[in-house]
Amino acid sequence: MSLLGKAGPASAAYESGFAAHRAGVDRLLASYRAIPANANVRLAKKTSNLFRARAENTAPGLDVSGLAKVIAVDAAAKTADVAGMTTYEDLVAATLPYGLAPLVVPQLKTITLGGAVTGLGIESSSFRSGLPHESVLEMDVLTGAGEIITATPDGEHADLFRGFPNSYGTLGYSVRLKIELETVQPYVALRHVRFHDLRELESTLARIVTDKSYDGERVDYLDGVVFTADESYLTLGRQTDEPGPVSDYTGMDIYYRSIQHDSERPKRDRLTIHDYLWRWDTDWFWCSRAFGAQNPKIRRFWPKRYRRSSFYWKLIALDHKYHIGDKLEARQGNPPRERVVQDIEVPVERTADFVEWFLREIPIEPIWLCPLRLRENGASNTGRPWPLYPLRPNRTYVNVGFWSAVPTVAGQQEGKANRAIEQTVSEFDGHKSLYSDSYYGKDEFAALYGGETYTDLKKRYDPDQRLLDLYSKAVQRK
């Protein structure tokens, strides 16, 4: 039974929000029925935060144009009903006026809530709040069979609720999600702590995750940046309502450069909660340098409205379409570069091992570190696993993110660097996200990402194979 139409507290805003949402669902279902029976069902959307190439789809897609808004916020219950295609930029804009925010807000503004749940998301609150799907209370899903069902942690469709994360639209698409929110303060006080040794960073990070504090101060947010083996940082954030000056990294100053310092004492900074949540978006972490946007002479004339990840993504999409980078390399007599755009997780005790291997073998810097643990409480924590991305409960992992390209040698195996990363991550008992290029064989892929559990879910919720399967999407780029 679908909960579409259950509007929670009686109010005109709730009724209006759910009425508009129901109209959007009607358009979605009409578009599903218009797709030929022999065609794969896909979203009709022009933008994506995926870095996987995929085959062109000539059939009409699902109309999700009416599913991109926050339906309602219940400030008293600290929950929000959100349409699946709503961006975190719009979600945060709707919740911050109440002094509330999602428990985990992924770094880029145009990531959608539905995308973060079906494709995983992470941020600096993940060491205490887990991943975005762990704060979902219930969700309406359009399955491959064309039905909209409501999945909850303990209901009739609890198997889909647990199997939906990391399914990337191969079991269905989220239409509505009801999520938990948390109270936030208006500012975040930062400490950037420098390390000269990766193993010291690893042990300090593990201790902070356990203690939720450092040097006598509470830690609400925790991530890090590695520039070189002897220059790395942990950034510790503490929510506060104390007034005072704040920094602005949406103009000429660049956030990740502000982290660096030579002192043995932590460097302190302050941001508004809004600017903290979006601190990485202005320069897409550090990736805007590839477009010259960090050159002061260019940045001064780069329109501020275009200093955001969604615009840089458009430039990347043009490169993918016209192979601009490869053509420039060819003019210099070089082979194409291999794209290495990945996020992986390894157990915290293997963090230094992996980073040392990476810095030695893969010429990319900086790299991002973000610790995470599955939530130990919360409505969705039933003690059952999330089978398509089987992180262990009560274990700390560290996400390592790296996003660039590396030189290739003519005639080398396709994806050589990415294949080496996959092998090393597996050797270190880790996992790799599937938003970018993958090269696993079928058996290895099945062992890592759901196996028979996924097969059973596929049979139940997509019996006619209207949706592509996960291996076809993630590895075969269909």
Side-chain angles (χ1 to χ4, degrees):
M1 174 182 177
S2 174
L3 295 184
L4 291 171
K6 282 196 174 182
S11 72
Y14 258 73
E15 292 296 339
S16 174
F18 274 88
H21 180 66
R22 284 191 290 271
V25 172
D26 289 342
R27 293 201 297 275
L28 174 75
L29 291 173
S31 67
Y32 176 92
R33 291 189 288 268
I35 298 173
N38 61 348
N40 288 126
V41 175
R42 295 179 184 261
L43 298 180
K45 54 179 291 192
K46 297 180 180 179
T47 61
S48 172
N49 281 289
L50 296 178
F51 273 82
R52 286 189 258 105
R54 60 180 183 177
E56 292 289 335
N57 186 37
T58 57
L62 293 172
D63 181 357
V64 292
S65 60
L67 302 176
K69 294 184 179 298
V70 176
I71 303 166
V73 175
D74 187 338
K78 294 185 181 180
T79 63
D81 285 275
V82 186
M85 297 300 297
T86 305
T87 66
Y88 273 92
E89 181 175 25
D90 290 341
L91 176 53
V92 166
T95 61
L96 279 188
Y98 297 98
L100 300 170
L103 275 65
V104 180
V105 179
Q107 312 86 351
L108 306 181
K109 292 179 176 179
T110 55
I111 292 175
T112 64
L113 177 60
V117 171
T118 194
L120 304 185
I122 190 171
E123 233 297 313
S124 58
S125 61
S126 289
F127 78 103
R128 61 180 173 84
S129 296
L131 301 173
H133 59 267
E134 295 188 273
S135 52
V136 175
L137 300 172
E138 63 187 28
M139 55 184 166
D140 294 330
V141 177
L142 173 67
T143 68
E147 301 173 327
I148 293 183
I149 63 172
T150 299
T152 61
D154 296 303
E156 176 186 358
H157 303 292
D159 57 344
L160 180 60
F161 187 90
R162 309 303 295 186
F164 196 76
N166 210 45
S167 63
Y168 282 92
T170 65
L171 298 175
Y173 295 102
S174 57
V175 174
R176 177 193 63 96
L177 304 100
K178 185 171 186 176
I179 62 169
E180 299 175 69
L181 303 173
E182 67 176 2
T183 300
V184 293
Q185 299 297 323
Y187 305 103
V188 179
L190 301 178
R191 287 175 290 168
H192 305 304
V193 184
R194 178 168 178 166
F195 296 87
H196 300 278
D197 180 82
L198 289 168
R199 299 195 179 275
E200 183 185 0
L201 177 145
E202 175 187 287
S203 62
T204 303
L205 184 151
R207 189 164 59 250
I208 294 172
V209 169
T210 299
D211 297 344
K212 307 293 189 296
S213 67
Y214 176 79
D215 198 22
E217 291 186 36
R218 188 183 74 248
V219 176
D220 298 316
Y221 302 107
L222 175 62
D223 66 350
V225 177
V226 177
F227 291 91
T228 65
D230 57 6
E231 185 189 3
S232 58
Y233 300 85
L234 291 179
T235 293
L236 322 178
R238 175 177 58 86
Q239 292 186 29
T240 177
D241 61 359
E242 301 168 7
V246 294
S247 297
D248 180 2
Y249 296 107
T250 64
M252 292 299 293
D253 294 331
I254 297 169
Y255 174 72
Y256 83 98
R257 289 301 181 190
S258 77
I259 293 171
Q260 294 181 277
H261 63 89
D262 295 326
S263 173
E264 294 305 313
R265 300 181 63 182
K267 180 181 180 181
R268 291 184 177 267
D269 199 358
R270 280 168 51 90
L271 295 172
T272 66
I273 181 65
H274 174 275
D275 286 357
Y276 176 78
L277 293 176
W278 302 128
R279 69 202 183 282
W280 292 120
D281 189 84
T282 299
D283 285 286
W284 204 358
F285 285 83
W286 30 80
C287 297
S288 68
R289 66 185 179 182
F291 312 110
Q294 293 180 26
N295 182 324
K297 294 180 180 179
I298 297 175
R299 192 178 186 87
R300 186 172 289 108
F301 299 101
W302 195 292
K304 196 169 184 177
R305 67 183 180 277
Y306 293 148
R307 291 182 204 150
R308 52 181 288 142
S309 61
S310 56
F311 182 72
Y312 304 134
W313 171 251
K314 291 179 181 179
L315 299 180
I316 290 289
L318 289 173
D319 178 56
H320 289 177
K321 184 174 182 179
Y322 297 109
H323 306 289
I324 298 170
D326 290 347
K327 291 176 181 176
L328 292 175
E329 291 291 334
R331 285 186 178 184
Q332 301 177 40
N334 299 325
R337 292 171 65 85
E338 178 184 350
R339 183 176 61 193
V340 182
V341 179
Q342 305 286 354
D343 278 77
I344 64 95
E345 276 92 34
V346 291
V348 65
E349 65 272 15
R350 302 308 303 271
T351 303
D353 291 336
F354 179 82
V355 172
E356 288 172 348
W357 174 87
F358 186 88
L359 293 174
R360 186 173 63 249
E361 300 292 335
I362 310 294
I364 290 175
E365 54 74 29
I367 58 179
W368 185 58
L369 305 179
C370 187
L372 70 147
R373 288 174 67 91
L374 296 181
R375 287 184 74 188
E376 297 176 6
N377 50 40
S380 68
N381 181 24
T382 62
R384 295 191 293 274
W386 305 95
L388 271 62
Y389 206 73
L391 301 177
R392 296 184 194 175
N394 305 311
R395 188 176 193 182
T396 300
Y397 294 84
V398 175
N399 176 283
V400 185
F402 35 92
W403 316 291
S404 189
V406 299
T408 62
V409 176
Q412 75 176 31
Q413 182 184 30
E414 181 191 4
K416 181 180 178 181
N418 284 282
R419 292 173 192 269
I421 291 166
E422 290 178 355
Q423 180 179 344
T424 304
V425 169
S426 294
E427 290 173 355
F428 288 176
D429 196 21
H431 303 269
K432 192 186 88 163
S433 297
L434 297 175
Y435 69 83
S436 190
D437 299 317
S438 296
Y439 295 89
Y440 297 107
K442 275 193 173 183
D443 291 343
E444 183 182 11
F445 185 86
L448 291 170
Y449 300 104
E452 292 184 5
T453 300
Y454 176 73
T455 300
D456 292 343
L457 287 167
K458 193 72 171 166
K459 290 178 181 177
R460 181 178 183 188
Y461 294 103
D462 186 22
D464 296 324
Q465 300 293 303
R466 298 298 310 277
L467 306 169
L468 288 169
D469 67 80
L470 191 56
Y471 187 79
S472 296
K473 268 195 170 184
V475 181
Q476 296 178 324
R477 306 175 190 177
K478 293 185 179 179

